[in-house]
């Protein structure tokens, strides 16, 4: 069984400030972890993924996430927020390999203030 | 990553009618595709797994007779919402799994049942 908890349904930052979106997971097997972004009325776009290689994963648009097994966390960060980063962000976990079932967190809405 | 296209992006229908949503994989032969449903300001819920040339696998609580899934080719899966009612109004998103275990999503289809 696996689950994802995203702490904070809404995060608000100023333009240029650090973005930190929190994700904790639970998995009975070594997990694969993902972050997706969703803009209004659109599908989900993959930001980055962790699949048991390097624990610090770099993604698109300047985002990165670090897998911390001891903390069961996979927080998403970006050093400097842009207005275009405003969107809904979802963390997801799967059992890896052919276990295709992704379990999604409830999402975190990021707003960026000018 | 794989490119997934959904059509229509928006559809409005009368209660009692049926609506078909198409999901196409433009550059990837997908033996398996997935259908998700997303309620406003909520996360994604996996409805069913669409298998090319065989019956779909539905998640617990999803009505097979209401949500008909057909996966007739390696590039096309369809979801038909039969005898739609207002409570079926939602955002429906299809996806397929990439070689690295990640999911690639279509743009989504917003269904409004009057």
């Amino acid at each position: 069984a696996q689950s994802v908890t995203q702490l904070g349904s809404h995060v608000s930052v100023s333009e240029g400030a650090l973005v930190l979106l929190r994700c904790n997971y639970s998995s009975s097997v070594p997990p694969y972890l993902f972050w997706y972004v969703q803009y209004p009325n659109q599908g989900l776009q993959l930001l980055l993924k962790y699949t048991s290689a390097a624990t610090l994963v770099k993604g698109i648009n300047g985002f990165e996430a670090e897998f911390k097994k001891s903390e069961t966390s996979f927080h998403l960060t970006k050093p400097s927020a842009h207005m275009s980063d405003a969107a809904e962000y979802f963390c997801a976990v799967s059992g890896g390999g052919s276990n295709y079932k992704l379990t999604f967190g409830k999402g975190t809405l990021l707003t960026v203030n000018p | 990553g794989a490119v997934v296209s959904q059509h229509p992006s928006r559809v409005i229908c009368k209660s009692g009618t049926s609506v078909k949503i198409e999901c196409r994989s433009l550059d990837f032969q997908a033996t398996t595709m997935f259908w998700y449903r997303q309620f406003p300001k909520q996360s994604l819920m996996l409805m069913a797994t669409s298998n090319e040339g065989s019956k779909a696998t539905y998640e617990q609580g999803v009505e097979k007779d209401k949500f008909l899934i057909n996966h007739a080719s390696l590039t096309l899966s369809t979801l038909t919402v039969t005898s739609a009612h207002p409570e079926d109004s939602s955002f429906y998103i299809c996806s397929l799994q990439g070689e690295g275990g990640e999911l690639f999503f279509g743009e989504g289809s917003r269904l409004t049942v009057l």
Side-chain angles (χ1 to χ4, degrees), chain B residues 6-64:
Chain B
Q6 266 184 258
H7 178 80
S9 59
R10 292 177 181 269
V11 56
I12 300 172
C13 69
K14 293 182 178 179
S15 186
T17 61
S18 295
V19 174
K20 179 185 285 187
I21 300 170
E22 294 187 346
C23 178
R24 293 183 182 274
S25 172
L26 300 184
D27 59 354
F28 188 85
Q29 293 197 324
T31 55
T32 303
M33 300 176 85
F34 309 98
W35 286 95
Y36 286 83
R37 182 173 180 177
Q38 185 179 31
F39 291 99
K41 300 188 185 301
Q42 294 191 29
S43 190
L44 283 77
M45 179 191 77
L46 178 64
M47 298 175 64
T49 302
S50 170
N51 304 300
E52 188 266 335
S54 64
K55 291 182 179 181
T57 304
Y58 289 82
E59 295 299 303
Q60 190 173 10
V62 178
E63 297 178 61
K64 301 178 183 180

Side-chain angles (χ1 to χ4, degrees), chain B residues 94-112:
Chain B
C94 71
S95 68
L96 58 84
Q97 187 178 27
E99 294 177 352
E102 68 275 65
L103 293 183
F104 295 99
F105 289 85
E107 308 94 326
S109 300
R110 182 163 300 284
L111 170 64
T112 302

